[in-house]
Amino acid sequence: MALASFTARFKQFVTPDALRSYLAEFISTFFYVFVVVGSAMASRKLMSDSATDPSSLVLVAIANTFALSSSVYIASNVSGGHVNPAVTFGLAVGGHISVSTALFYWVSQMLASVMACLLLKVATVSQDVPIYTIASEMTGFGASMVEGVLTFGLVYTVYAGGDTRSGPLRSIGPLVIGLMAGSMVLAAGPFSGGSMNPALAFGSAVVAGRFKNQAVYWVGPLIGAAVAGLLYDNVMFPGHVSGRVNSDGTTRV
């Protein structure tokens, strides 16, 4: 009986629509990570000291803005365009997607990140894949707080950008989300890297084989995302569920 119940529930998450949503998350996350990590590698190749050159930070921030806006846009009508395990977690905490769907999204996002970084590693041959690190004067706790605040802002923007009450302004949601991400990178890049995305930090760490301070890019973002989702739905707009795209491509209001 238990096995039959499990089989029936599992089949709900491997329907054609569900599989398309996982693929959409894989594709969008792959290109997002490819652009962001690739821009960091490009700046390091073009600049002798990219770590201290402000133009390198601007380059990565602009790439982050364009890549996230585009990635959210191309997946929004299929999977909701999460492109980020923290965003998925925040929406799951808010009840907009099921925990099971969130786990499948996580697998797609993490695998896509690893594949994108691996492709960059193989294609560039002589270059190492950069990983997210914290400034020497910062503690892991401080960096987690920074990443948490950044991710709070990002996920809150995701909620606002996908809210059906935005009317015509909802169409620029992906652009606003990208702009928020880019501004966060400019603000915190030199301190914690401005990841805001556990998959982004995880993929580069796996390919580089270095996991120091990896918890910073999970704990802070997940907490920040959860707080953003709860605050938006229960404090700013209590009793109203903003429209979201479910895993089957339909919008729940």
Side-chain angles (χ1 to χ4, degrees), residues 120-196:
L120 285 168
K121 173 71 174 178
V122 172
T124 57
V125 182
S126 61
Q127 287 206 61
D128 294 326
V129 173
I131 63 171
Y132 281 86
T133 58
I134 64 176
S136 58
E137 65 272 15
M138 293 190 70
T139 63
F141 178 74
S144 291
M145 289 183 62
V146 170
E147 286 292 321
V149 170
L150 299 179
T151 309
F152 172 92
L154 178 63
V155 175
Y156 193 90
T157 305
V158 169
Y159 265 82
D163 198 325
T164 53
R165 287 162 297 188
S166 299
L169 291 177
R170 190 182 181 189
S171 62
I172 65 170
L175 175 60
V176 174
I177 293 168
L179 290 172
M180 175 61 81
S183 65
M184 294 298 194
V185 172
L186 288 174
F191 304 108
S192 65
S195 168
M196 300 168 281

Side-chain angles (χ1 to χ4, degrees), residues 19-34 67 70-72 74-75 78-79 83 108-109 111-113 116:
L19 293 175
R20 279 192 288 269
S21 69
Y22 308 149
L23 180 59
E25 282 299 309
F26 179 90
I27 293 172
S28 58
T29 305
F30 177 91
F31 283 109
Y32 171 69
V33 174
F34 186 87
S70 303
S71 297
V72 170
I74 63 175
V78 181
S79 66
V83 200
S108 298
Q109 293 157 353
L111 182 60
S113 180

Side-chain angles (χ1 to χ4, degrees), residues 101-125:
T101 299
L103 292 175
F104 279 105
Y105 275 28
W106 272 26
V107 172
S108 298
Q109 293 157 353
M110 305 296 283
L111 182 60
S113 180
V114 172
M115 294 297 291
C117 291
L118 185 61
L119 176 60
L120 285 168
K121 173 71 174 178
V122 172
T124 57
V125 182

Side-chain angles (χ1 to χ4, degrees), residues 27-68:
I27 293 172
S28 58
T29 305
F30 177 91
F31 283 109
Y32 171 69
V33 174
F34 186 87
V35 171
V36 172
V37 176
S39 66
M41 296 174 70
S43 66
R44 189 170 59 183
K45 181 175 178 60
L46 296 173
M47 304 170 192
S48 57
D49 191 9
S50 60
T52 58
D53 193 331
S55 60
S56 175
L57 176 62
V58 174
L59 171 64
V60 174
I62 293 175
N64 208 302
T65 299
F66 290 163
L68 186 57

Side-chain angles (χ1 to χ4, degrees), residues 193-234:
S195 168
M196 300 168 281
N197 189 327
L200 180 60
F202 178 78
S204 57
V206 168
V207 174
R210 290 177 287 172
F211 294 91
K212 185 178 181 181
N213 294 317
Q214 184 66 199
V216 166
Y217 304 102
W218 282 88
V219 177
L222 293 183
I223 293 176
V227 173
L230 292 173
L231 180 67
Y232 191 89
D233 274 345
N234 298 288

